[in-house]
Amino acid sequence: MSVVIRLARAGTKKRPVYHVVVADSRFPRDGRFIERLGHFNPLLPKDNESRLKLDMDKVKSWLAKGAQPSDRVTRFLDAAGIVKRAARNNPEKAVPRKERKAAEAAAKA
């Protein structure tokens, strides 16, 4: 059984609120979960302390048991200093398409 720490959507239409939950990876996003670890409200400003609430003791215990955090949850845990997020590098996507085509044409010539 692979266990993940991920977000489960709650709230109403166009007013999302997410629960940070531990679930079996085979279960649906908003379906059955093992334990709720906190909540995230993306509508609040980023500097608002109630935007993200997590029970860090439970998160650490689940990570010790082998639970894998999703990408978004990894961002939260990196900001909290619990998990180090790997740096991503995709230089092809960073350049606009016209400039990328011009660079490819110049490289061929």
Side-chain angles (χ1 to χ4, degrees):
M1 177 170 94
S2 60
V3 178
V4 292
I5 302 173
R6 65 180 177 204
L7 299 176
R9 193 175 194 275
T12 60
K13 186 169 82 170
K14 301 193 189 249
R15 306 285 297 171
V17 175
Y18 295 92
H19 298 288
V20 181
V21 297
V22 177
D24 187 329
S25 63
R26 298 171 291 184
F27 294 155
R29 179 194 70 183
D30 301 335
R32 197 165 115 198
F33 60 90
I34 300 169
E35 185 175 11
R36 185 176 294 154
L37 304 178
H39 62 84
F40 169 63
N41 187 351
L43 300 177
L44 294 176
K46 291 188 179 184
D47 58 349
N48 192 333
E49 63 186 39
S50 62
R51 178 180 166 97
L52 174 68
K53 294 280 187 185
L54 285 175
D55 187 346
M56 293 302 175
D57 295 332
K58 288 182 182 179
V59 171
K60 288 177 186 175
S61 70
W62 277 107
L63 290 173
K65 292 175 189 174
Q68 296 295 314
S70 67
D71 290 338
R72 179 57 53 181
V73 173
T74 303
R75 282 179 177 261
F76 297 152
L77 298 178
D78 184 38
I82 295 176
V83 173
K84 183 67 177 155
R85 187 167 64 109
R88 291 186 171 182
N89 186 13
N90 192 352
E92 293 294 322
K93 292 287 185 178
V95 180
R97 185 172 181 177
K98 287 183 180 179
E99 293 177 21
R100 196 166 57 232
K101 294 285 186 186
E104 289 174 5
K108 289 181 182 178

